[in-house]
Amino acid sequence: MRVTIDRRPLLIGLALMLAMGLVAACSSSVPAPAPTTKPAAPAAAPTAPAAAAVPTAAKAAQPTAAPAQLTKVRVGWAVAPHMALEGVALAKGWFKEAGLDVELTAFDTGAPLFEAMAAGKLDMGITGSTPTISVSAAQAPAIYFVGSHGESTGVFTIVSRKNINSPADVKGKTGITAKGSVNHYFLDLMLDKYGLTEKDITLVHMEMADAVTAFVANQGDFASIGTAFWPRILAKAQDSKILFTGNDLSASTGKPMNIRIFEVTTASKQFADKNPEAVTKFLDVLYNKTHRYFNDPATKVQARQDLASWLKTTVNFNQSVDDLSKMIDPVKYYTAAEQVKLFQDGTFKASMDAQAKFLMDNQLKNTIPFDSWANPKFVEAAAKQ
């Protein structure tokens, strides 16, 4: 197993976030021992036994067929349990069976991931959705949105001090998030639901791991950070609690909001245009085989145990299988065919357009039309597998 780590604090485009990186794993193969031949039995008739052995010797001398060439695919993923299903597919050898040599590298957030892609060190990315819009606008790197590895609206969580009774009570208080991240977007959704804006709070931007340290040290009143980080706050800060989740967006309290947030799978345009079959195969393994493994009642328990083991080995994730299940069960994992419909009926476009508006209001001077960076042809091909 090879482990790839990227800990550089990097900025992309408009300085969205900082990050660290961890992990990659791959399997190696051991050649099978050469076959042995038994000594020939003596012949009963004077028909030369040596002559009978010649074809056997000639056959043994024939060269064996070379193994099929695997296509290398370097994939970056933003560290969060619900974004790590591809790790199970890697551990089980499903990518290799599809003819792919997949290497996984973990990053705290999407910004350094996309800078690594821009530097030619990654071919595909598994991240939150908001950073990809800024990357697309900057064309650094040029990417395709090729589908979603999960509808994760219910996963998003904001934690606070126990003395904050309602999201409306954050007015005048200090919040922590990673600037320009999907968690930043989710925080703004909560504020909007209760008639507030960022002008009504003091907002501090920092790396997510630092946000945990700061909050535990009694800095800040509430925090909107990733699923790999906010559980650490609950575990370490006795005066912390869950204040708001994605499932609360549609609640009758405050302004009901029909918002759907999709995590995004992207591919470098340069890589995808050169290797369309490899992108299709990757989506087929992830969206069809792996998502079904996690959704099927007959295998979902084992799938979560597999994921917990892989995360513990690769990114030192020490939550129990039950806790992991609580984190990922709210996520909806779609097949390729289901995602084709989400492209066709405008669901993906509506979600991305809402986030583009958020970025326009808070950060970007311009964005890029959804149709200019979305490319459904790879998931359409995967749906036919």
Side-chain angles (χ1 to χ4, degrees):
M1 178 174 288
R2 180 170 69 248
V3 176
T4 304
I5 300 176
D6 189 326
R7 296 183 179 280
R8 302 168 301 159
L10 304 169
L11 295 174
I12 184 159
L14 299 163
L16 300 178
M17 301 160 280
L18 294 172
M20 68 179 182
L22 305 167
V23 179
C26 69
S27 56
S28 61
S29 59
V30 180
T36 58
T37 58
K38 295 181 179 180
T47 53
V54 170
T56 303
K59 183 177 181 180
Q62 291 177 355
T64 57
Q69 184 77 28
L70 300 179
T71 303
K72 182 81 170 182
V73 185
R74 301 163 300 170
V75 182
W77 64 289
V79 176
H82 66 283
M83 294 192 196
L85 273 58
E86 66 281 353
V88 173
L90 180 68
K92 287 187 171 295
W94 291 341
F95 288 121
K96 189 174 182 180
E97 290 174 2
L100 304 178
D101 176 15
V102 171
E103 177 183 287
L104 300 179
T105 303
F107 297 81
D108 261 12
T109 54
L113 185 158
F114 284 118
E115 184 160 316
M117 188 180 290
K121 297 180 179 180
L122 292 176
D123 306 312
M124 298 186 68
I126 293 178
T127 67
S129 48
T130 307
T132 61
I133 300 170
S134 300
V135 169
S136 298
Q139 291 289 289
I143 60 173
Y144 289 130
F145 163 48
V146 295
S148 171
H149 48 272
E151 180 185 345
S152 56
T153 313
V155 163
F156 289 96
T157 299
I158 295 175
V159 296
S160 73
R161 305 294 173 187
K162 289 183 177 178
N163 61 2
I164 298 179
N165 297 318
S166 163
D169 297 334
V170 302
K171 184 175 182 178
K173 299 189 182 298
T174 299
I176 302 173
T177 194
K179 187 174 181 65
S181 67
V182 68
N183 302 98
H184 183 187
Y185 169 64
F186 180 67
L187 173 60
D188 276 30
L189 290 178
M190 183 191 78
L191 294 174
D192 184 33
K193 180 176 175 65
Y194 286 88
L196 304 174
T197 70
E198 290 188 19
K199 294 180 180 179
D200 295 307
I201 63 173
T202 299
L203 193 55
V204 178
H205 299 287
M206 63 177 67
E207 184 180 351
M208 292 188 187
D210 291 338
V212 174
T213 302
F215 200 92
V216 172
N218 208 35
Q219 300 174 33
D221 301 299
F222 59 98
S224 181
I225 55 178
T227 56
F229 300 94
W230 62 259
R232 301 181 195 177
I233 290 178
L234 295 180
K236 296 180 179 180
Q238 294 184 351
D239 65 336
S240 62
K241 69 173 185 179
I242 293 176
L243 177 67
F244 188 81
T245 73
N247 291 329
D248 296 325
L249 286 171
S250 58
S252 57
T253 305
K255 179 175 66 175
M257 306 176 77
N258 184 23
I259 300 292
R260 299 174 70 179
I261 303 174
F262 297 89
E263 309 291 12
V264 170
T265 307
T266 55
S268 157
K269 283 188 177 181
Q270 182 178 7
F271 177 81
D273 289 343
K274 185 178 180 181
N275 303 278
E277 186 177 357
V279 176
T280 295
K281 287 180 177 180
F282 182 88
L283 299 186
D284 178 34
V285 171
L286 180 58
Y287 293 165
N288 294 330
K289 192 165 190 174
T290 311
H291 283 189
R292 284 194 170 99
Y293 183 58
F294 275 80
N295 289 336
D296 189 336
T299 56
K300 65 184 301 183
V301 173
Q302 183 61 51
R304 281 146 181 75
Q305 292 174 349
D306 293 342
L307 180 58
S309 297
W310 187 81
L311 287 168
K312 183 175 183 179
T313 300
T314 55
V315 293
N316 198 30
F317 179 85
N318 291 313
Q319 300 289 328
S320 68
V321 175
D322 287 343
D323 288 339
L324 173 66
S325 296
K326 292 175 184 177
M327 292 180 191
I328 71 171
D329 283 351
V331 182
K332 297 177 182 177
Y333 294 112
Y334 296 105
T335 64
E338 290 169 335
Q339 296 197 43
V340 171
K341 295 179 181 178
L342 295 175
F343 270 110
Q344 293 174 343
D345 68 13
T347 299
F348 280 151
K349 184 178 187 302
S351 178
M352 300 306 168
D353 284 349
Q355 293 174 66
K357 182 181 184 304
F358 153 75
L359 288 169
M360 285 287 289
D361 292 343
N362 291 275
Q363 195 168 339
L364 295 180
K365 293 182 179 179
N366 55 66
T367 60
I368 186 170
F370 176 78
D371 293 338
S372 297
W373 63 288
N375 191 334
K377 73 177 184 180
F378 302 102
V379 76
E380 289 172 352
K384 298 176 182 178
Q385 297 295 312

